[in-house]
Amino acid sequence: MDKYAFSLLLLLVFLLSVSGLMTTGQPGGLHSVRLVCNETLMLQRLPLCGEEFEDLMKRLDTKKWCNLTEFIMFYDSFSNCTEFEANNVGCFWPNPLAEGFITSIHKQFFSNCTSERIVWEDPPDEILITLILIPVFLTAGMISLVVWCSKRSDILV
Ligand SMILES: *[C@@H]1O[C@H](CO)[C@@H](O)[C@H](O)[C@H]1NC(C)=O
Ligand SMILES: *[C@@H]1O[C@H](CO)[C@@H](O)[C@H](O)[C@H]1NC(C)=O
Ligand SMILES: *[C@@H]1O[C@H](CO)[C@@H](O)[C@H](O)[C@H]1NC(C)=O
């Protein structure tokens, strides 16, 4: 995929996420309860994501563990899982502790991948586009839901 288009899409995702944060972060909004990051709890939850990733990777021939195209879907779900668990206990994502955990997972699975053997090239476009568009649609959906809910409460009040 064209690197320029890819950066534009990333920017779009970023902007949508920020506007999503601002919409939901308003005082009196749906998420007015502000969680404080509980790092202990986060470090307890993250290994669940690691186990899920390990289960998926074990189904794959170990020879394919260095081929990004083969495991990018698993890796994406692992990454989303860590983000979800971190946010769920009120932590920003990424954060240094979560990154430490992710690095330990990298060591576990990719320690034998030399830089020539690991294929960190662009995965096929269709996969990339799917991975990029899912969060865009989710965020857009959440924004419309919040807007819809606030309009609804205006009507009701
Ligand atoms: C954080 O989570 C741990 C483990 O569940 C719990 O024992 C602790 O009380 C929590 N700390 C705060 C500040 O909520
Ligand atoms: C990586 O996996 C893809 C999809 O199975 C395959 O087309 C490609 O040839 C593999 N690359 C290497 C270096 O093995
Ligand atoms: C890396 O190679 C060593 C020695 O061959 C092996 O014992 C180990 O299981 C391998 N680790 C991974 C993640 O493939």
Side-chain angles (χ1 to χ4, degrees), residues 36-150:
V36 178
C37 176
N38 186 333
E39 294 182 337
T40 321
L41 200 53
M42 183 185 73
L43 288 179
Q44 278 174 9
R45 300 262 185 102
L46 289 182
L48 297 176
C49 302
E51 282 163 26
E52 193 187 307
F53 182 62
E54 189 173 351
D55 276 353
L56 291 170
M57 287 299 274
K58 276 184 176 157
R59 292 187 210 161
L60 207 65
D61 188 341
T62 45
K63 282 181 209 136
K64 294 180 176 168
W65 280 9
C66 295
N67 187 336
L68 181 66
T69 313
E70 296 279 354
F71 65 77
I72 183 145
M73 287 309 226
F74 308 156
Y75 191 80
D76 184 61
S77 102
F78 167 68
S79 168
N80 285 342
C81 175
T82 60
E83 180 172 5
F84 176 80
E85 293 297 350
N87 289 341
N88 212 18
V89 296
C91 304
F92 285 110
W93 186 94
N95 62 63
L97 278 174
E99 271 164 22
F101 173 75
I102 292 169
T103 306
S104 73
I105 291 288
H106 281 192
K107 283 207 186 107
Q108 185 184 341
F109 291 98
F110 312 128
S111 55
N112 288 350
C113 301
T114 61
S115 47
E116 309 104 66
R117 275 178 61 218
I118 194 156
V119 190
W120 288 110
E121 71 198 12
D122 281 355
D125 278 1
E126 5 8 309
I127 296 182
L128 256 190
I129 290 168
T130 316
L131 294 182
I132 292 165
L133 288 185
I134 289 171
V136 171
F137 282 127
L138 274 182
T139 315
M142 271 159 64
I143 294 173
S144 1
L145 187 69
V146 169
V147 169
W148 182 75
C149 284
S150 52

Side-chain angles (χ1 to χ4, degrees), residues 26-39:
Q26 276 168 4
L30 286 181
H31 300 278
S32 51
V33 180
R34 181 97 184 87
L35 272 172
V36 178
C37 176
N38 186 333
E39 294 182 337

